[in-house]
Amino acid sequence: MKLQIDSFRGIPMEKNMSSLVKRMSVLLLLLVFIVPASPCSAMQTLNAKGILDRVDDLFRGKSSKGIMTMKIVTAHWTRTLKVEWWSEGKDKSLMRILRPKKEEGTATLRVGNDIWNYLPKVNRVIKLPSSMMSASWMGSHFTNDDLVKESRMAEDYTFELTFRGKRDGREILEVTCLPKPDAPVVWGKVMVAVRPVDYLPLKILYYDEDMSLARTMYFSHIGPLGNRILPRVMRIVPADKPEEMTEITYEQMTFDLDLPAEVFSIRSLRR
Amino acid sequence: MILRLAWRSLWRNKRRTVITVCSIALGLTFAIFFIALAEGAYEQMIEQMVRIQSGHITLEHPEYRQAPSVDLWITVPPQLRSEVEKWPDVEETKLVILGQGIVKSGAGNMAAAIMGVEPSVEKASSPVARNLITGKYLEASDKSQVVVGSEMAERLKLAVGKKLVIATNDVTGTLVEELCRVKGIFRTGSEEIDAYFIQMPIDFARRLFHLPREGATQMGVILKDPGAQKRIMKRIKDRLDDRPISVLSWQEVMPDVATYIKMDKGSNLIFQAILIFLILFTIFNTLSMSVLERQREFAMLLAVGTTARRLRLQVFAETVFLGVIGCVAGLFFGGLAVVYGHVYGINLSAIMGESVNISGFALSSRMYTKLSFGIFFGSAVTVLTATLLLGLIPVRRATRISIVDTLR
Amino acid sequence: MITVAAISLNVAILIASYGLMDGMVKHLVSNVTNMVTGEVQIHAPGYLVDHSMYKVVKDPTGIMERLGSRGIHGSARSYGYGLIASGNKSAGALFWGVDPDMEKKYFDLADHVETGRYLSSIPKKEIVVGRKLARSLNARIGSEVVLVVQAADGSLGNDLFTVRGILKAAGDRIDRNAAIMHRQDFQELFVSGGRIHEIALNTRGAVPLAALEQIATAAAPGTDVKSWRQLMPSLSDMVNFFDAGMWLFGMIFFLAAALGVMNTMLMSTFERIREFGILKALGTSPWRILGDVAAESFVLSLVSTIIGGIIGVGLSLFFMHKGLDTSIFVPGDAAVSVSGIAFDPVWRATVSVKTILSPILMMCFISLIASLYPAAIAARLDPIKAMTRV
């Protein structure tokens, strides 16, 4: 058979950090945003779809910037990166490495379906082939693809509040999300545990189709971030390699600022 | 008169005649069988490859060959397609859509070559369809089902019924994603195919890539008689008028295979030449020796007054008889062998193992001979002509003997 | 004598044909194995499943020394995946870290360069790429390329390299993915600390495959040792297919040659029936006649087949060195790659005991039998009839 695949072939598959993780986390962060720290009773009267729609609309057109520390632990090495980022809407983002010094200035720009990398050591900008979408970003458990996916949560899942009470010594609300039959998501089920008092997420569990746990996302260190209260630490742990993880700590974040268009250009990539 | 003499003289020395006739007959049998076998093997290989790909003739977008991409598609009017299918030399036509994307499951993701096919057509010819290890092959009515290779299934932990998300760029370049389920898993034995190919019903592919209803990447035409290729290509080109569709032969679509076959055929021709040389040499030898043997006989004939010319004619006539009988016998036995080889094939599994995987398709260990009037006719004519020509040499020598010396 | 000439010729042609047939198959294999794969490869257990760069061969130097002392040599290689970019084009690639001197000595890929040249012995951040990869990057000799990889310590390895060579067709995998550099450059880029992922051994046919596998397994305990047949099942299958085809062809040729020999012997012996008749009339016993004929034809057969053998060997040797260039049947560029395997258009014969001895022995045998039959007839014939046979 004459293959027409480009040279991506031969690259081993990387663990895919589902876009859902990112989407869900953003969704929930914003959930918190629109429902200010107030008594929980309002939650039960709103239906799940209503919440999602509101979140979708609120999320659109928003921008953000910030600084985070990413700690990656794999079976063979451990790394800590300090990354600065800017993002606008759902298809523009720029990320730049601040630490370690060896990689300072390395940046990734995503606009639409295209991704560029700037490499300060050789002072070159390269455009990634579309096949690299699934490759992991900087060796973490996130992939380039995560930066690109469009969010369609309202279309992809049905939500239902399934548990209210104490678990592991904490009061939580648990929402079970099941993918709609035709939704292009790989999961069989997603379970979200939130704080009843302000609906900040504590844990998200991702199950594959066989209902076995594929990965877990933990949220902690709730505190002020920009003009909101959010969990400042997120950790992803793959279920089949529990010794590995990627942990993001948000140090600073600013929301809804005006970002000039040049921010998401190749020129600014090089800066 | 001469003919009768010639005939009788042949039967006077049965042993010699039989040996000579046998040489010619057997020689021809071997030649026919060898050529039929070699040609048959090539045809088998080509037929298999052609059916898996897009047929003996491929119709595609003019720019597709340079830079294959799903957005270079063609629309073949259905009337044209059904007309072509009715032509006597055409066996069938098929449409395929070819694209690339990423395939994701809960266990990870990998690159994939996406093939939208027409299940009714592919079922019979595709190695994918014929090598399913679990599940079932596609049906046209399947909405979002796919079949994947065993390697891909292993790496992505897929099983029949499991979910799969395909992410790719549609014809406008927009990223699209679709959920599908695994209907079957195949193992062709070719690592490339088993790890990268996924097949889906062509309508699903159209939905995925946002192609219009009659759109496809290629239309393939499979012929009943590969020899009709050029003729059918021309007919199709005429039918297409000025439409921007390229009509390519399989040699243009798979140039590497075409080149390889040419080279291999070249070496095969060399073998054929050697074999024919061997056979003709044997025939020549036999004829010469038989003439030499009969020196006394000739000397006596000349002594009693037969003219040299008559003698020569007689001997030549004998050669003609020998040649014709030999060739007829050779055609008979050679034909028998070829027909057997054509219908039952020659089972080489003792040497080769059960089947062989080349480039993703299993070549069975039966080699089939080609049944062709041309091979029979050509070989027979060659051998007969050569026999007659070669026979002339000893004929001349026959009459150049010294009567006295010989009869002493 | 015509008889001798005829038999010799038949034998000679048969031998030369077998040589060519055998050569076709053997060269198919050696073309591929000599290029890069070698006859046997050594990897860490499990490496071939996921190509994880952390699965390394332990003590590669020790292994190579042990093998070297037994006259078996090869090349140690490191591999890693990454991105190669030129201008605004980029592609995924498999990077090789090799020792250019070892590669040049024991494998043919270093000579298989279409434009430019192979790597120099000194690390100079040079890279040699497969031809399809070069094309997809629009890269030429002297082009600058950016390499980006995930280094062994997790950091982002990147550097600028120069394209020094573009390979000829060497099989799909290499054409599309291969980017070869000096092992020291590899070490620097990947922070790999001299890790070796593969030891490929090549004796160019000097050591039989099974023996080679055994020796390698003994010299490299705890590793995964595989022969080319296991590493390239496609090629292995193709070889079996060809073997079968050649066997069939060989049979036909054998029959044709046997026919020739038998014919010649039959006729020449029958020719002498008058002679036998006279002998019989003179009182020689039939057994004696038979015996004489047998002895004579034995000598005749032997001599003819040996002469034929010598000529045949000569022809085979000629074709072994010169070879027939089948690319004359193909107009244009004869770079052929089928099923991921590149084909060399030059067709050479091989000379081996198998291709020489068995034709000689078989033909000798046949010619002997062929002579005994008419002799037996003569021995039983009425002498008058025999003498007057015309």
Side-chain angles (χ1 to χ4, degrees):
Chain A
M1 279 281 211
K2 205 57 176 181
L3 287 192
Q4 291 141 353
I5 300 190
D6 60 33
S7 318
F8 170 86
R9 211 179 58 216
I11 308 282
M13 144 201 96
E14 298 284 352
K15 284 277 163 187
N16 181 19
M17 197 56 221
S18 166
S19 61
L20 180 59
V21 175
K22 280 229 138 176
R23 275 197 259 120
M24 286 299 286
S25 54
V26 172
L27 155 66
L28 288 153
L29 292 174
L30 290 158
L31 241 185
V32 172
F33 171 70
I34 49 120
V35 180
S38 69
C40 60
S41 50
M43 202 60 196
Q44 287 131 333
T45 56
L46 290 169
N47 64 47
K49 183 154 194 307
I51 295 171
L52 284 177
D53 282 347
R54 212 145 39 113
V55 165
D56 268 345
D57 291 337
L58 284 167
F59 186 42
R60 292 215 165 94
K62 289 301 172 198
S63 59
S64 67
K65 81 168 195 184
I67 294 181
M68 66 159 148
T69 307
M70 187 188 272
K71 180 173 173 189
I72 310 167
V73 176
T74 70
H76 304 285
W77 43 261
T78 300
R79 282 219 307 159
T80 307
L81 300 169
K82 191 162 173 180
V83 179
E84 192 181 6
W85 90 87
W86 297 259
S87 100
E88 184 173 284
K90 45 184 162 72
D91 59 2
K92 291 206 186 97
S93 69
L94 174 66
M95 291 169 116
R96 182 175 297 126
I97 296 182
L98 299 173
R99 289 275 177 283
K101 216 144 197 333
K102 185 180 166 208
E103 286 155 72
E104 185 187 347
T106 309
T108 303
L109 170 69
R110 202 267 298 187
V111 174
N113 290 345
D114 299 322
I115 301 187
W116 289 267
N117 267 351
Y118 170 64
L119 304 159
K121 178 181 169 210
V122 297
N123 193 22
R124 296 280 186 282
V125 172
I126 57 173
K127 183 162 186 270
L128 264 52
S130 50
S131 48
M132 283 310 226
M133 288 303 195
S134 344
S136 84
W137 189 82
M138 303 293 168
S140 74
H141 294 87
F142 287 98
T143 63
N144 289 316
D145 197 38
D146 294 333
L147 311 177
V148 168
K149 272 287 285 286
E150 286 191 2
S151 88
R152 278 178 290 166
M153 316 148 292
E155 297 152 28
D156 295 342
Y157 289 83
T158 54
F159 289 76
E160 201 194 329
L161 191 65
T162 48
F163 179 82
R164 192 191 325 182
K166 251 196 167 144
R167 205 179 267 158
D168 300 324
R170 280 194 294 202
E171 283 287 331
I172 62 158
L173 287 174
E174 195 172 62
V175 181
T176 302
C177 309
L178 294 169
K180 291 188 179 167
D182 287 328
V185 291
V186 298
W187 307 117
K189 181 171 72 171
V190 180
M191 313 233 331
V192 183
V194 303
R195 278 199 328 190
V197 75
D198 51 13
Y199 309 110
L200 287 175
L202 296 168
K203 194 157 72 168
I204 302 178
L205 299 153
Y206 300 87
Y207 296 85
D208 65 21
E209 252 190 305
D210 298 323
M211 297 303 161
S212 44
L213 184 65
R215 50 181 50 103
T216 312
M217 189 139 161
Y218 299 94
F219 300 82
S220 53
H221 296 79
I222 294 169
L225 215 49
N227 50 0
R228 313 175 190 179
I229 308 286
L230 298 169
R232 297 208 313 274
V233 176
M234 278 171 20
R235 180 153 35 109
I236 308 165
V237 180
D240 58 347
K241 292 189 200 157
E243 74 278 8
E244 296 198 6
M245 65 136 203
T246 297
E247 184 176 88
I248 295 177
T249 306
Y250 291 104
E251 320 239 325
Q252 289 173 32
M253 224 199 273
T254 315
F255 293 94
D256 308 324
L257 56 158
D258 275 316
L259 292 171
E262 303 91 63
V263 170
F264 303 104
S265 70
I266 300 207
R267 209 162 352 116
S268 83
L269 192 61
R270 280 176 173 267
R271 200 166 37 82
Chain B
M1 179 62 185
I2 295 184
L3 293 177
R4 257 192 298 155
L5 277 175
W7 184 254
R8 278 219 294 243
S9 119
L10 280 183
W11 289 112
R12 223 171 328 127
N13 195 330
K14 271 191 258 181
R15 177 260 320 158
R16 193 194 311 138
T17 306
V18 164
I19 292 182
T20 316
V21 166
C22 275
S23 320
I24 301 176
L26 281 174
L28 184 59
T29 306
F30 292 151
I32 288 179
F33 190 68
F34 183 84
I35 297 175
L37 189 67
E39 294 287 312
Y42 282 126
E43 280 211 352
Q44 243 181 294
M45 190 178 3
I46 296 175
E47 282 306 297
Q48 292 236 22
M49 286 198 134
V50 144
R51 265 151 220 280
I52 289 156
Q53 290 270 51
S54 35
H56 294 93
I57 300 172
T58 305
L59 275 65
E60 61 181 30
H61 191 282
E63 290 166 44
Y64 186 77
R65 207 103 304 269
Q66 283 289 59
S69 163
V70 77
D71 59 346
L72 296 171
W73 85 87
I74 56 170
T75 310
V76 179
Q79 320 93 281
L80 176 61
R81 185 177 176 191
S82 41
E83 190 192 323
V84 170
E85 284 194 334
K86 293 208 186 75
W87 292 348
D89 291 309
V90 172
E91 189 177 309
E92 61 185 2
T93 63
K94 57 177 184 168
L95 293 179
V96 292
I97 293 180
L98 302 166
Q100 298 178 51
I102 308 272
V103 143
K104 309 192 237 201
S105 79
N109 55 67
M110 46 196 298
I114 302 165
M115 207 176 160
V117 299
E118 293 175 311
S120 49
V121 177
E122 292 289 320
K123 224 194 293 236
S125 55
S126 168
V128 164
R130 285 182 292 164
N131 284 297
L132 283 181
I133 47 178
T134 63
K136 295 215 183 83
Y137 191 61
L138 305 167
E139 304 277 335
S141 52
D142 291 334
K143 279 203 66 208
S144 306
Q145 308 250 42
V146 296
V147 290
V148 301
S150 54
E151 291 275 333
M152 184 183 280
E154 207 181 296
R155 290 195 221 175
L156 296 182
K157 301 215 188 358
L158 298 171
V160 175
K162 283 287 155 82
K163 285 208 281 196
L164 203 57
V165 173
I166 301 181
T168 181
N169 291 316
D170 71 5
V171 294
T172 67
T174 316
L175 195 64
V176 291
E177 287 192 326
E178 284 280 341
L179 179 76
C180 55
R181 288 196 185 267
V182 176
K183 189 173 181 194
I185 300 178
F186 58 85
R187 192 206 311 270
T188 61
S190 158
E191 205 200 299
E192 274 187 17
I193 298 193
D194 293 341
Y196 292 104
F197 272 80
I198 90 173
Q199 277 192 354
M200 58 176 65
I202 199 169
D203 284 323
F204 181 21
R206 285 190 182 121
R207 253 187 304 132
L208 179 68
F209 292 108
H210 293 127
L211 278 166
R213 199 144 50 98
E214 302 293 342
T217 309
Q218 293 173 332
M219 174 170 119
V221 179
I222 297 178
L223 302 171
K224 288 196 189 122
D225 170 22
Q229 192 189 48
K230 286 212 162 60
R231 191 166 25 98
I232 302 285
M233 275 176 71
K234 180 163 189 319
R235 253 182 112 176
I236 294 178
K237 279 189 195 151
D238 290 339
R239 271 271 167 281
L240 286 172
D241 278 331
D242 293 321
R243 264 185 265 259
I245 297 181
S246 287
V247 180
L248 304 171
S249 63
W250 71 259
Q251 289 90 335
E252 291 168 279
V253 173
M254 297 191 281
D256 277 354
V257 175
T259 309
Y260 166 73
I261 287 181
K262 278 212 191 96
M263 287 196 330
D264 210 51
K265 272 198 166 178
S267 44
N268 207 270
L269 260 154
I270 295 176
F271 273 138
Q272 283 178 16
I274 297 178
L275 186 66
I276 302 249
F277 175 73
L278 207 56
I279 292 169
L280 291 179
F281 179 75
T282 303
I283 295 176
F284 175 67
N285 205 25
T286 313
L287 290 173
S288 298
M289 290 187 97
S290 73
V291 164
L292 268 156
E293 262 196 347
R294 299 162 71 190
Q295 284 195 345
R296 293 198 88 234
E297 178 194 336
F298 294 156
M300 277 202 293
L301 283 173
L302 290 171
V304 299
T306 321
T307 62
R309 196 171 153 270
R310 281 198 89 171
L311 184 60
R312 277 204 288 264
L313 277 174
Q314 183 190 323
V315 176
F316 187 69
E318 287 174 20
T319 314
V320 169
F321 280 131
L322 289 170
V324 168
I325 299 174
C327 281
V328 165
L331 271 174
F332 179 71
F333 288 112
L336 223 66
V338 168
V339 165
Y340 177 81
H342 187 77
V343 171
Y344 295 100
I346 319 261
N347 193 343
L348 293 168
S349 53
I351 309 168
M352 226 165 62
E354 267 318 304
S355 75
V356 152
N357 266 301
I358 297 185
S359 201
F361 47 95
L363 279 179
S364 75
S365 44
R366 298 200 95 88
M367 288 179 94
Y368 289 90
T369 48
K370 178 174 175 168
L371 201 60
S372 147
F373 185 62
I375 294 179
F376 291 147
F377 192 63
S379 318
V381 164
T382 311
V383 171
L384 186 59
T385 319
T387 305
L388 296 178
L389 288 174
L390 289 173
L392 284 174
I393 304 172
V395 162
R396 271 180 67 82
R397 277 208 253 137
T399 54
R400 279 161 173 274
I401 50 183
S402 151
I403 304 173
V404 174
D405 288 328
T406 318
L407 287 175
R408 185 119 47 87
Chain C
M1 277 182 57
I2 299 186
T3 324
V4 172
I7 296 180
S8 312
L9 191 67
N10 274 303
V11 174
I13 291 184
L14 192 62
I15 291 180
S17 304
Y18 276 6
L20 281 169
M21 285 179 186
D22 206 38
M24 186 181 252
V25 176
K26 283 224 168 63
H27 280 276
L28 176 64
V29 173
S30 62
N31 271 338
V32 180
T33 58
N34 283 339
M35 185 68 75
V36 126
T37 315
E39 292 154 341
V40 164
Q41 286 187 358
I42 301 174
H43 299 101
Y47 177 76
L48 289 170
V49 175
D50 60 6
H51 294 269
S52 159
M53 75 172 328
Y54 302 101
K55 291 192 176 141
V56 295
V57 176
K58 294 198 188 45
D59 185 25
T61 345
I63 296 176
M64 299 214 57
E65 257 168 45
R66 285 192 280 279
L67 290 167
S69 67
R70 303 196 58 168
I72 296 173
H73 302 279
S75 190
R77 302 169 180 148
S78 313
Y79 295 106
Y81 290 100
L83 192 73
I84 183 169
S86 173
N88 61 355
K89 296 215 181 257
S90 63
L94 176 64
F95 296 106
W96 307 17
V98 303
D99 178 338
D101 294 325
M102 278 203 269
E103 295 287 331
K104 281 183 198 152
K105 217 164 160 193
Y106 303 113
F107 295 96
D108 292 341
L109 192 65
D111 292 324
H112 205 65
V113 173
E114 182 154 11
T115 50
R117 58 167 174 78
Y118 196 65
L119 302 168
S120 106
S121 312
I122 310 165
K124 285 195 231 168
K125 298 227 170 38
E126 302 175 318
I127 198 153
V128 172
V129 294
R131 67 194 243 272
K132 288 189 182 162
L133 183 58
R135 219 182 313 154
S136 64
L137 296 174
N138 275 342
R140 271 181 273 276
I141 305 302
S143 294
E144 172 197 271
V145 289
V146 184
L147 306 189
V148 185
V149 305
Q150 186 90 54
D153 64 353
S155 66
L156 204 67
N158 57 90
D159 216 331
L160 291 172
F161 275 61
T162 315
V163 176
R164 271 291 159 241
I166 297 177
L167 298 168
K168 291 189 199 159
D172 233 26
R173 289 239 162 117
I174 294 179
D175 292 346
R176 287 179 197 272
N177 291 339
I180 309 174
M181 64 180 82
H182 194 286
R183 61 147 62 130
Q184 260 169 259
D185 288 330
F186 183 94
Q187 213 163 295
E188 221 184 283
L189 184 67
F190 279 90
V191 191
S192 67
R195 275 178 248 237
I196 297 289
H197 299 104
E198 175 178 286
I199 298 181
L201 303 170
N202 191 17
T203 63
R204 293 188 192 271
V207 177
L209 201 61
L212 189 58
E213 265 184 283
Q214 268 187 341
I215 300 174
T217 314
T223 61
D224 181 21
V225 173
K226 284 198 156 69
S227 73
W228 68 262
R229 277 197 184 264
Q230 295 161 289
L231 294 163
M232 294 191 281
S234 243
L235 180 66
S236 187
D237 277 347
M238 204 182 273
V239 166
N240 289 347
F241 181 70
F242 272 110
D243 258 343
M246 288 299 125
W247 184 87
L248 210 53
F249 288 1
M251 264 279 101
I252 296 178
F253 267 69
F254 175 78
L255 289 172
L259 180 70
V261 164
M262 195 170 67
N263 237 350
T264 310
M265 252 345 232
L266 273 177
M267 294 205 89
S268 77
T269 318
F270 269 121
E271 201 185 334
R272 301 167 59 200
I273 272 196
R274 295 188 74 237
E275 195 185 311
F276 301 150
I278 294 175
L279 285 174
K280 207 158 180 218
L282 291 176
T284 324
S285 85
W287 285 114
R288 194 63 209 286
I289 295 178
L290 197 63
D292 280 345
V293 171
E296 265 185 57
S297 15
F298 182 68
V299 170
L300 189 78
S301 312
L302 204 63
V303 168
S304 328
T305 50
I306 289 181
I307 294 179
I310 296 174
I311 300 176
V313 170
L315 279 172
S316 284
L317 283 171
F318 173 75
F319 283 122
M320 190 165 87
H321 289 292
K322 208 63 182 357
L324 291 163
D325 191 357
T326 55
S327 60
I328 53 174
F329 293 102
V330 179
D333 172 23
V336 174
S337 172
V338 169
S339 176
I341 297 162
F343 283 93
D344 177 9
V346 178
W347 180 23
R348 291 177 199 279
T350 54
V351 177
S352 73
V353 169
K354 187 175 63 161
T355 61
I356 301 172
L357 216 53
S358 47
I360 292 183
L361 287 175
M362 294 305 290
M363 291 299 129
C364 197
F365 180 69
I366 287 178
S367 93
L368 200 63
I369 301 283
S371 66
L372 291 178
Y373 172 60
I377 293 189
R380 278 186 290 142
L381 261 187
D382 179 57
I384 311 285
K385 278 225 182 103
M387 281 194 285
T388 52
R389 226 173 221 247
V390 144

